[in-house]
Amino acid sequence: MLTAATTAIGVGMNTGAAHADDAVWDRVAACEAGGNWHINTGNGFYGGLQFTVQSWNGAGGSAYASRPDLATREQQIAVGRKLLALQGPGAWPSCSIKAGLTRDNGGVGAPAPAPVPGGGNSGGGGNTGGGTKAATPTPTPSETATPKPAPKPAPPAPGRSDTQGTAAIQTWIGGNLSGKWDEAAIKALQAKLHSPITGKMDKATVKATEAFLKITPTGVDYFSQAVLDKLSDYARKKNSEATLTSLAAAVEGGFVSPGTVQLATNPVTYR
């Protein structure tokens, strides 16, 4: 079974080699990594073709470098061809379709660059074989160019708070119940969060609110919908707790019956 499978792969490799097109790999890299062959964002995917270390090693990439982003473009393409032979274009489910990658134009079976002596030591790891240190390939002009930075995520859109949600927040922070984010409401929130009191919605106020709600900072000077929703939910929860505390005290003093407290209970889930 192993011999038959190997032979079948070999036939496909020879056929595809005649139609190898490196440009299709550039299109895959543009889709996967913005065309940056040396990208490493720390998410577990590396290089222009966004290999995992496991798929890189499984397709023989350790012969070139310990990680894909440390290999040259040509070496990454060579390993990509091996992975294409093993898994087909589905190894890049979306980008293979966008780039038009097939076994044929991907160059399955095309000649690969010579392995780095001593294995993949270009990543700075020790030479486990105890032999000569791996030779450093001469970089081409495209490899010496400064890698493109990863694109910054787009800022969130400004949120819209309903009147009841804003009033709930104002009840919690102790402002007047205008149902609007006016200067008085902003000052009350800033005081509640121990943020500089300016009466204006600014980056410092948004940052303090995001930190209080344990939301990833956005760097904007307005509330996103996620902040408004979570802040109003939190305020409703605190208002409900305060109401129940007051009612419990009233029951203790004999001012209301326990049945009244039961009817007034309205649990709010904090998202």
Coordinates of all heavy atoms in Angstrom, one line a residue, residues 79-137:
V79 N 8.3 23.8 0.4 CA 7.6 23.0 1.4 C 6.1 23.1 1.2 O 5.4 22.1 1.4 CB 7.9 23.6 2.9 CG1 7.1 22.8 3.9 CG2 9.4 23.5 3.1
G80 N 5.6 24.3 0.7 CA 4.2 24.4 0.3 C 3.8 23.4 -0.8 O 2.8 22.8 -0.8
R81 N 4.8 23.1 -1.7 CA 4.5 22.2 -2.8 C 4.4 20.7 -2.2 O 3.5 20.0 -2.6 CB 5.6 22.2 -3.8 CG 5.5 23.4 -4.7 CD 6.7 23.6 -5.6 NE 6.6 24.7 -6.5 CZ 7.6 25.4 -7.1 NH1 8.8 25.0 -6.7 NH2 7.4 26.4 -7.9
K82 N 5.2 20.4 -1.2 CA 5.1 19.1 -0.6 C 3.8 19.0 0.2 O 3.2 17.9 0.1 CB 6.3 18.9 0.3 CG 7.7 18.8 -0.4 CD 8.8 18.6 0.6 CE 10.1 18.5 -0.1 NZ 11.3 18.3 0.9
L83 N 3.4 20.0 0.9 CA 2.1 20.0 1.6 C 1.0 19.9 0.6 O 0.0 19.2 0.9 CB 2.0 21.2 2.5 CG 0.9 21.2 3.5 CD1 1.1 20.0 4.5 CD2 0.8 22.5 4.3
L84 N 1.1 20.6 -0.5 CA 0.1 20.5 -1.6 C -0.1 19.1 -2.1 O -1.2 18.6 -2.3 CB 0.4 21.5 -2.7 CG -0.5 21.5 -3.9 CD1 -1.9 22.1 -3.4 CD2 0.0 22.5 -5.0
A85 N 1.1 18.4 -2.3 CA 1.1 17.0 -2.7 C 0.4 16.1 -1.7 O -0.3 15.2 -2.1 CB 2.5 16.5 -3.0
L86 N 0.6 16.4 -0.4 CA 0.1 15.5 0.6 C -1.4 15.8 0.9 O -2.2 14.9 1.1 CB 0.9 15.7 1.9 CG 2.3 15.3 1.9 CD1 3.0 15.8 3.1 CD2 2.4 13.8 1.8
Q87 N -1.8 17.1 0.9 CA -3.1 17.4 1.4 C -4.0 18.1 0.3 O -5.2 18.2 0.5 CB -3.1 18.4 2.6 CG -2.4 17.8 3.8 CD -2.4 18.7 5.0 OE1 -3.1 19.7 5.0 NE2 -1.6 18.4 6.0
G88 N -3.4 18.5 -0.8 CA -4.1 19.2 -1.8 C -4.4 20.7 -1.5 O -4.0 21.1 -0.4
P89 N -5.0 21.4 -2.3 CA -5.3 22.8 -2.1 C -6.0 23.1 -0.8 O -6.0 24.2 -0.2 CB -6.1 23.3 -3.3 CG -5.8 22.3 -4.4 CD -5.5 21.0 -3.6
G90 N -6.7 22.1 -0.3 CA -7.5 22.2 1.0 C -6.7 22.6 2.2 O -7.2 23.0 3.2
A91 N -5.3 22.5 2.1 CA -4.5 22.9 3.2 C -4.6 24.4 3.4 O -4.3 24.9 4.5 CB -3.0 22.5 2.9
W92 N -5.0 25.1 2.4 CA -5.3 26.6 2.5 C -6.8 26.7 2.0 O -7.0 27.2 0.9 CB -4.3 27.4 1.6 CG -2.9 27.2 1.9 CD1 -2.2 27.9 2.8 CD2 -2.0 26.2 1.4 NE1 -0.9 27.4 2.9 CE2 -0.8 26.3 2.0 CE3 -2.2 25.1 0.5 CZ2 0.3 25.5 1.8 CZ3 -1.1 24.3 0.2 CH2 0.2 24.5 0.8
P93 N -7.7 26.4 2.8 CA -9.1 26.3 2.4 C -9.7 27.5 1.6 O -10.3 27.3 0.6 CB -9.9 26.1 3.7 CG -8.9 25.6 4.7 CD -7.6 26.2 4.3
S94 N -9.5 28.6 2.1 CA -10.1 29.8 1.5 C -9.1 30.5 0.5 O -9.5 30.8 -0.6 CB -10.4 30.9 2.6 OG -10.9 32.1 2.0
C95 N -7.8 30.6 0.9 CA -6.9 31.3 0.0 C -6.5 30.6 -1.2 O -6.2 31.2 -2.2 CB -5.7 31.7 0.8 SG -6.0 33.0 2.0
S96 N -6.6 29.2 -1.2 CA -6.3 28.5 -2.4 C -7.3 28.8 -3.5 O -7.0 28.8 -4.7 CB -6.2 27.0 -2.1 OG -7.5 26.5 -1.7
I97 N -8.6 29.0 -3.0 CA -9.6 29.3 -4.0 C -9.4 30.7 -4.5 O -9.5 30.9 -5.7 CB -11.0 29.2 -3.3 CG1 -11.3 27.7 -2.9 CG2 -12.1 29.6 -4.2 CD1 -12.5 27.5 -2.0
K98 N -9.2 31.6 -3.6 CA -9.0 33.0 -4.1 C -7.8 33.2 -5.0 O -7.8 33.9 -5.9 CB -8.8 33.9 -2.9 CG -10.0 34.1 -2.0 CD -9.8 35.0 -0.8 CE -11.0 35.1 0.1 NZ -10.8 36.0 1.2
A99 N -6.7 32.4 -4.7 CA -5.5 32.5 -5.5 C -5.5 31.6 -6.7 O -4.7 31.8 -7.6 CB -4.3 32.1 -4.6
G100 N -6.5 30.7 -6.8 CA -6.5 29.8 -8.0 C -5.5 28.7 -7.9 O -5.0 28.2 -8.9
L101 N -5.1 28.3 -6.7 CA -4.1 27.3 -6.5 C -4.6 25.9 -6.8 O -5.7 25.5 -6.3 CB -3.5 27.3 -5.1 CG -2.5 26.2 -4.7 CD1 -1.2 26.4 -5.5 CD2 -2.3 26.2 -3.2
T102 N -3.9 25.1 -7.6 CA -4.2 23.7 -7.9 C -2.9 22.9 -7.8 O -1.8 23.5 -7.7 CB -4.8 23.5 -9.3 OG1 -3.8 23.9 -10.3 CG2 -6.0 24.4 -9.6
R103 N -3.1 21.6 -7.8 CA -1.9 20.7 -7.8 C -1.0 21.0 -9.0 O 0.2 20.9 -9.0 CB -2.3 19.3 -7.7 CG -2.9 18.8 -6.4 CD -3.3 17.3 -6.5 NE -3.9 16.9 -5.3 CZ -3.3 16.3 -4.2 NH1 -1.9 16.2 -4.3 NH2 -3.9 15.9 -3.2
D104 N -1.7 21.3 -10.1 CA -1.0 21.5 -11.4 C -0.2 22.8 -11.4 O 1.1 22.7 -11.6 CB -2.0 21.5 -12.5 CG -1.4 21.4 -13.9 OD1 -0.4 20.7 -14.0 OD2 -1.9 22.1 -14.9
N105 N -0.8 23.9 -11.2 CA -0.1 25.2 -11.2 C 0.8 25.4 -10.0 O 1.6 26.3 -10.0 CB -1.0 26.4 -11.5 CG -2.0 26.6 -10.4 OD1 -1.8 26.2 -9.3 ND2 -3.0 27.4 -10.7
G106 N 0.5 24.6 -8.9 CA 1.3 24.8 -7.7 C 2.7 24.2 -7.8 O 3.5 24.4 -7.0
G107 N 2.9 23.4 -8.9 CA 4.3 22.9 -9.1 C 4.6 21.7 -8.3 O 5.8 21.6 -7.9
V108 N 3.6 20.9 -8.0 CA 3.9 19.7 -7.2 C 5.0 18.8 -7.9 O 4.8 18.5 -9.1 CB 2.6 18.8 -7.0 CG1 3.0 17.5 -6.4 CG2 1.7 19.6 -6.1
G109 N 6.1 18.6 -7.3 CA 7.2 17.8 -7.9 C 8.3 18.6 -8.5 O 9.2 18.1 -9.0
A110 N 8.1 20.0 -8.4 CA 9.2 20.8 -9.0 C 10.4 20.7 -8.1 O 10.4 20.4 -6.9 CB 8.7 22.3 -9.0
P111 N 11.6 20.9 -8.7 CA 12.9 20.8 -7.9 C 12.8 21.8 -6.7 O 12.4 22.9 -6.8 CB 13.9 21.3 -8.9 CG 13.3 21.0 -10.3 CD 11.9 21.3 -10.1
A112 N 13.3 21.3 -5.6 CA 13.3 22.0 -4.3 C 14.7 22.6 -4.1 O 15.7 22.0 -4.5 CB 12.9 21.2 -3.2
P113 N 14.8 23.7 -3.3 CA 16.2 24.2 -3.0 C 16.9 23.1 -2.1 O 16.3 22.3 -1.5 CB 15.9 25.4 -2.1 CG 14.5 25.8 -2.5 CD 13.8 24.5 -2.8
A114 N 18.2 23.2 -2.2 CA 19.0 22.3 -1.4 C 18.8 22.5 0.1 O 18.7 23.6 0.5 CB 20.5 22.4 -1.7
P115 N 18.7 21.4 0.9 CA 18.5 21.6 2.3 C 19.7 22.4 3.0 O 20.8 22.3 2.5 CB 18.5 20.2 2.9 CG 18.1 19.3 1.7 CD 18.8 20.0 0.5
V116 N 19.4 23.0 4.1 CA 20.5 23.7 4.8 C 21.3 22.7 5.6 O 20.8 21.8 6.2 CB 19.8 24.7 5.9 CG1 20.9 25.3 6.7 CG2 19.0 25.8 5.2
P117 N 22.7 22.7 5.4 CA 23.5 21.7 6.1 C 23.2 21.7 7.6 O 23.1 22.7 8.2 CB 24.9 22.3 5.8 CG 24.8 23.0 4.5 CD 23.4 23.7 4.6
G118 N 23.1 20.5 8.1 CA 22.9 20.4 9.6 C 21.4 20.5 10.0 O 21.1 20.4 11.1
G119 N 20.5 20.7 9.0 CA 19.1 20.7 9.3 C 18.7 22.2 9.5 O 19.4 23.1 9.2
G120 N 17.5 22.3 10.1 CA 16.9 23.7 10.3 C 17.4 24.4 11.5 O 16.8 24.6 12.4
N121 N 18.7 24.9 11.4 CA 19.3 25.6 12.5 C 19.2 27.1 12.3 O 19.8 27.9 13.0 CB 20.7 25.2 12.7 CG 20.8 23.8 13.2 OD1 20.0 23.4 14.0 ND2 21.8 23.0 12.8
S122 N 18.6 27.6 11.2 CA 18.6 29.0 10.9 C 17.7 29.8 11.9 O 17.8 31.0 11.9 CB 18.1 29.3 9.5 OG 16.8 28.8 9.3
G123 N 16.9 29.1 12.7 CA 16.1 29.7 13.7 C 16.8 30.1 14.9 O 16.2 30.6 15.9
G124 N 18.1 29.8 15.0 CA 18.8 30.2 16.2 C 19.0 29.0 17.2 O 19.6 29.2 18.3
G125 N 18.4 27.8 16.9 CA 18.5 26.7 17.8 C 19.8 26.1 17.8 O 20.6 26.3 16.9
G126 N 20.2 25.3 18.8 CA 21.5 24.6 18.8 C 21.6 23.6 17.7 O 20.6 23.0 17.2
N127 N 22.8 23.2 17.3 CA 23.1 22.2 16.3 C 23.1 20.9 17.0 O 24.1 20.5 17.6 CB 24.4 22.5 15.6 CG 24.7 21.6 14.4 OD1 24.1 20.5 14.4 ND2 25.5 22.0 13.5
T128 N 21.9 20.2 17.0 CA 21.8 19.0 17.8 C 22.6 17.9 17.3 O 22.9 16.9 18.0 CB 20.3 18.6 17.8 OG1 19.9 18.4 16.5 CG2 19.5 19.6 18.5
G129 N 23.1 18.0 16.0 CA 23.9 16.9 15.5 C 25.4 17.0 15.9 O 26.2 16.1 15.7
G130 N 25.7 18.1 16.5 CA 27.1 18.3 17.0 C 28.1 18.6 15.9 O 29.3 18.6 16.1
G131 N 27.6 18.8 14.6 CA 28.5 19.0 13.5 C 28.7 20.5 13.2 O 28.6 21.3 14.1
T132 N 28.9 20.8 12.0 CA 29.2 22.2 11.6 C 27.9 23.0 11.6 O 26.8 22.5 11.4 CB 29.7 22.2 10.1 OG1 30.8 21.3 10.0 CG2 30.1 23.6 9.7
K133 N 28.0 24.3 12.0 CA 26.9 25.2 12.1 C 26.3 25.4 10.7 O 27.0 25.4 9.7 CB 27.4 26.5 12.7 CG 26.2 27.5 12.9 CD 26.7 28.8 13.4 CE 25.6 29.8 13.6 NZ 26.1 31.1 14.2
A134 N 25.0 25.4 10.7 CA 24.3 25.5 9.4 C 24.7 26.8 8.7 O 24.9 27.9 9.2 CB 22.8 25.6 9.6
A135 N 24.9 26.6 7.3 CA 25.3 27.8 6.5 C 24.1 28.7 6.4 O 22.9 28.3 6.4 CB 25.7 27.3 5.1
T136 N 24.4 30.0 6.3 CA 23.3 31.0 6.2 C 23.2 31.4 4.8 O 24.1 31.8 4.1 CB 23.7 32.3 7.0 OG1 24.0 32.0 8.3 CG2 22.6 33.4 6.9
P137 N 22.0 31.1 4.2 CA 21.8 31.4 2.8 C 21.9 32.9 2.5 O 21.6 33.8 3.3 CB 20.3 31.0 2.5 CG 19.9 30.2 3.7 CD 20.8 30.6 4.8

